[in-house]
Amino acid sequence: MDRAVTRGARPGRRAVPQWAWKVALAFSAAIWGGSFVVMKDTLDVIPPAWLMGIRFLVSALIVGALFWRTLRDNFDLSHLVMGTILGVASGSAFVVQNIGLDDTTPGRNAFLTATYCVMVPFFNWAVTRRRPEANNLVAAALAIVGVGLVALGDDLSLIMSGGDWLTLAAAALFAVHIVLVARFSSAHDVMTLTVVQLAVSALVALGTAALTETPPDPAIFSSADVWLSLAYLVLLSSCVCMVVQNLGQAHVPPAQASLLLSLESVFAVASSVIFYHELVTPRIAVGFGTIFVAVLVSELLVRRRD
């Protein structure tokens, strides 16, 4: 998920109160949290890469149509190159995450993905030579403890599935993507980059699907449930939430915005327990909580320094 920020409201327009943007960001986190359960069910009929390819392709067309004037005014070779780099990173992250989701539960997938927040300062160090602070080290240690609590059985045996390991790999890719967004967005139009990123992400996913997966059976598209799931993932998770996130972060202090968005993993577990009947033992609950605290520690430090 991008941490990009768009320009503020245009002069002459009535300002939206900050509390409304905070509510909108929390609502976006809830939608993203619910998407883990929606994707888990949809993966039963549509392979992961095909699902992501369809999602990003339709999202790119919709967002491109909505912001076509911005795209027309700003699109150039630099936006194409930078947007392509972002699209490769983002598309790869989502494909790996969703392949992992096929072999784990929505709650585990959400909280293991959330460790990307802890990884960002260390990837940023590699790019900018800006050393992580003490709180980043504490957050990393907490994340390792949290993942250990989630991954180890009662007899301390490792019970990480292949899907769990893929989810951690996806978290690393998300961290790389966030660092790249921070470097590219200051000198480029964010919405133009976003449209290019979505289109390239679609190509990455569809290319992966063509090489590794069997196309979905056309008959599944006669199901209303499939169309409802796709509508949720495309219209809500991709189009609405992405625009709300970018605009909201232009009006809410970064630390508060990041904390509101990090609620995604909490909503994901709640949705998984309610709708997917995921069993959360006390040990796993403590592990989830430890990972969430690690995210808060990391995000509070990073955003206060911005």
Side-chain angles (χ1 to χ4, degrees):
M1 284 173 292
D2 298 350
R3 289 290 184 264
V5 179
T6 57
R7 296 180 177 85
R10 294 179 181 178
R13 291 188 178 180
R14 186 175 180 179
V16 177
Q18 189 180 91
W19 66 263
W21 288 115
K22 292 180 180 179
V23 171
L25 287 171
F27 183 66
S28 295
I31 291 175
W32 276 321
S35 70
F36 286 86
V37 174
V38 173
M39 286 188 295
K40 182 67 175 178
D41 290 337
T42 310
L43 288 172
D44 292 336
V45 293
I46 303 178
W50 281 109
L51 178 60
M52 287 298 99
I54 295 170
R55 172 182 171 179
F56 288 131
L57 179 60
V58 178
S59 299
L61 294 174
I62 293 174
V63 177
L66 290 174
F67 294 94
W68 70 270
R69 290 181 180 175
T70 299
L71 189 63
R72 177 196 63 191
D73 294 340
N74 293 280
F75 184 79
D76 56 18
L77 181 60
S78 181
H79 280 85
L80 176 61
V81 172
M82 300 303 151
T84 297
I85 294 173
L86 293 178
V88 170
S90 176
S92 300
F94 275 103
V95 168
V96 172
Q97 179 196 34
N98 280 270
I99 292 174
L101 178 58
D102 205 24
D103 188 37
T104 189
T105 64
R108 292 169 72 95
N109 189 264
F111 266 96
L112 292 174
T113 298
T115 59
Y116 74 85
C117 295
V118 179
M119 300 178 191
V120 166
F122 298 93
F123 282 102
N124 193 53
W125 180 22
V127 173
T128 66
R129 304 302 179 188
R130 187 172 166 181
R131 291 179 178 273
E133 300 289 342
N135 280 22
N136 296 130
L137 300 177
V138 172
L142 286 171
I144 292 171
V145 172
V147 171
L149 289 170
V150 172
L152 295 177
D154 294 333
D155 60 352
L156 300 183
S157 61
L158 188 66
I159 57 173
M160 288 277 282
S161 68
D164 292 332
W165 289 113
L166 285 174
T167 302
L168 285 175
L173 289 169
F174 280 124
V176 170
H177 174 255
I178 291 171
V179 171
L180 293 176
V181 168
R183 289 187 63 83
F184 297 162
S185 61
S186 60
H188 296 82
D189 176 74
V190 172
M191 292 314 302
T192 302
L193 285 177
T194 300
V195 174
V196 176
Q197 173 189 308
L198 285 170
V200 174
S201 294
L203 292 176
V204 169
L206 292 173
T208 302
L211 293 174
T212 64
E213 296 176 349
T214 302
D217 184 353
I220 68 170
F221 294 104
S222 62
S223 169
D225 290 341
V226 169
W227 284 107
L228 287 173
S229 296
L230 289 175
Y232 186 105
L233 295 174
V234 171
L235 298 178
L236 294 180
S237 293
S238 296
C239 297
V240 172
C241 287
M242 180 188 64
V243 173
V244 168
Q245 178 193 9
N246 286 347
L247 292 176
Q249 286 192 264
H251 296 86
V252 177
Q256 296 177 33
S258 294
L259 293 177
L260 289 167
L261 290 171
S262 68
L263 292 173
E264 172 189 352
S265 55
V266 177
F267 285 117
V269 169
S271 299
S272 184
V273 170
I274 294 171
F275 298 107
Y276 192 70
H277 307 297
E278 179 174 352
L279 177 63
V280 179
T281 66
R283 175 180 49 78
I284 292 177
V286 172
F288 285 165
T290 305
I291 292 172
F292 185 62
V293 170
V295 170
L296 298 188
V297 170
S298 180
E299 286 295 295
L300 281 170
L301 175 67
V302 172
R303 297 306 178 186
R304 282 175 178 168
R305 293 191 319 182
D306 287 345

